[in-house]
Amino acid sequence: MSKIIKYVLLDILKSKIIIGYTLFLLLLSLGLFYLGGSPEKGILSLLNLVLLTVPLISIVFATTHFYNSYEFMELLVAQPITRQKIFLSEFLGVAFSLSAAFVVGVGLPVLVSGAGLTGLFLVLTGLFITFIFVALAFLACVLTRDKAKGIGFALLLWFFFALLYDGLVLLILYSFSDYPLEYPALAMTALNPIDLGRIMVLLNLDVSALMGYTGALYKNILGSSWGISLSFGLLMLWIVLPLLSAKRIFSRRDV
């Protein structure tokens, strides 16, 4: 299994797309930290761009890679290797390569800027988001053998979590504004990994003071060590559940 991961990882790292992705994040991060004037402003500016571009690149790249690797996986299936190992090797190879690009592109500028704990939370959030959307991409791929449908479904998932979900939440909050919705809002945040990651970083920037009672509630629950552990646990579930579902489907169907 380790040999397959190494092969996939090295093959992807030589890709022009990964190199371009790394340079894009690196230049973007350096530019925002330079223009921001302070690490906090740089982190705040970088946060929204990271939460928009990282899921998109991760899910599109992982989807196209999966479909382009069908012949390679067919070759491996003919060998005495279990399908679970083949699937997990492909997943880890893609996720590690995208994570390496993110660490170089965002992690190094964050380290140089001296952003401290907030920068660490941003990097960890980006890594979790990368793994989550690679897992969602693999789930989309195993649901259909048609490449166009798979990519379309993957883009639909990104559109829902990155753009549409927040609008639906605002609509619900506006429609039921006469009722106390602080705890339901917290629950709805947990149902979107992008929102959950955003809240975790914002709480470390003390922006919760500008968010009223709801922000104070977020700070009280998610700002503690227990709340941070809960948040990372929820993000881990967002990786495990789609991945296990995709692995189960892949193991039972014809390649």
Side-chain angles (χ1 to χ4, degrees), residues 68-83:
N68 292 337
S69 301
Y70 254 118
E71 293 183 359
F72 176 64
M73 287 187 285
E74 288 176 351
L75 177 64
L76 292 177
V77 168
Q79 307 300 318
I81 307 173
T82 62
R83 291 192 175 198

Side-chain angles (χ1 to χ4, degrees), residues 7-231:
Y7 174 81
V8 174
L9 180 62
L10 293 177
D11 182 61
I12 294 176
L13 288 177
K14 293 184 291 185
S15 169
K16 293 181 180 179
I17 297 177
I18 290 296
I19 296 174
Y21 176 52
T22 305
L23 292 176
F24 168 75
L25 290 177
L26 184 62
L27 294 175
L28 182 68
S29 302
L30 292 173
L32 289 176
F33 278 118
Y34 177 76
L35 295 174
S38 66
E40 290 76 15
K41 292 181 180 179
I43 289 290
L44 191 58
S45 301
L46 188 59
L47 173 63
N48 291 321
L49 292 173
V50 164
L51 293 180
L52 189 66
T53 58
V54 170
L56 177 61
I57 299 297
S58 298
I59 202 166
V60 171
F61 181 83
T63 305
T64 54
H65 172 81
F66 187 92
Y67 283 110
N68 292 337
S69 301
Y70 254 118
E71 293 183 359
F72 176 64
M73 287 187 285
E74 288 176 351
L75 177 64
L76 292 177
V77 168
Q79 307 300 318
I81 307 173
T82 62
R83 291 192 175 198
Q84 290 87 346
K85 289 184 178 180
I86 296 172
F87 183 83
L88 290 177
S89 298
E90 283 286 339
F91 169 78
L92 292 175
V94 175
F96 283 152
S97 60
L98 289 170
S99 297
F102 179 80
V103 169
V104 174
V106 176
L108 290 182
V110 167
L111 180 64
V112 172
S113 69
L117 185 61
T118 305
L120 177 62
F121 270 91
L122 175 64
V123 174
L124 289 176
T125 298
L127 291 175
F128 270 101
I129 292 296
T130 299
F131 272 80
I132 288 169
F133 278 85
V134 172
L136 290 173
F138 274 49
L139 178 60
C141 291
V142 298
L143 290 176
T144 175
R145 295 179 64 93
D146 186 272
K147 185 176 181 179
K149 290 182 180 179
I151 294 176
F153 183 46
L155 287 173
L156 186 63
L157 287 173
W158 170 80
F159 180 78
F160 175 76
F161 286 115
L163 302 173
L164 185 61
Y165 187 86
D166 288 341
L168 294 175
V169 171
L170 288 175
L171 179 62
I172 293 173
L173 294 178
Y174 177 78
S175 300
F176 298 94
S177 58
D178 295 334
Y179 301 91
L181 295 175
E182 288 78 14
Y183 285 100
L186 184 63
M188 287 186 286
T189 299
L191 295 177
N192 186 346
I194 295 179
D195 283 347
L196 188 59
R198 179 184 291 113
I199 292 296
M200 289 175 60
V201 177
L202 290 178
L203 290 180
N204 282 276
L205 285 170
D206 290 330
V207 183
S208 58
L210 304 176
M211 298 166 61
Y213 177 71
T214 303
L217 180 66
Y218 285 154
K219 184 73 173 179
N220 184 43
I221 296 178
L222 299 180
S224 62
S225 57
W226 178 86
I228 293 173
S229 301
L230 175 63
S231 300

